[in-house]
Amino acid sequence: MREMEIHDYARQLLEAHGPKAIAEAAQNAIDLERKGELELAKTWRHIEDAMKLMRGPHQS
């Protein structure tokens, strides 16, 4: 997946699922890593990171 596609997909997931989309992406990556699908897991990690950037920093 190209960078632009990852960011588009990440934005769509955040809009559809809100903050829980980040946890869902992380869980997808974990599940794929367990199955040995490392490249696909890497893509989900990238999507997770993109969503974290879009969300911005936590406020205290």
Side-chain angles (χ1 to χ4, degrees):
M1 215 179 232
R2 294 182 321 209
E3 193 70 25
M4 191 67 164
E5 292 171 320
I6 285 173
H7 284 272
D8 284 344
Y9 194 67
R11 181 185 46 76
Q12 290 172 16
L13 284 173
L14 274 176
E15 288 175 0
H17 300 277
K20 73 178 186 174
I22 296 169
E24 291 172 1
Q27 188 61 54
N28 285 341
I30 290 168
D31 293 343
L32 288 164
E33 287 164 351
R34 288 183 181 149
K35 293 177 184 176
E37 298 282 344
L38 301 182
E39 281 302 310
L40 195 50
K42 184 178 174 182
T43 298
W44 276 104
R45 292 284 183 205
H46 201 152
I47 292 168
E48 176 189 1
D49 290 342
M51 286 191 284
K52 286 178 182 177
L53 286 173
M54 290 174 193
R55 177 194 63 195
H58 289 297
Q59 295 181 3
S60 55

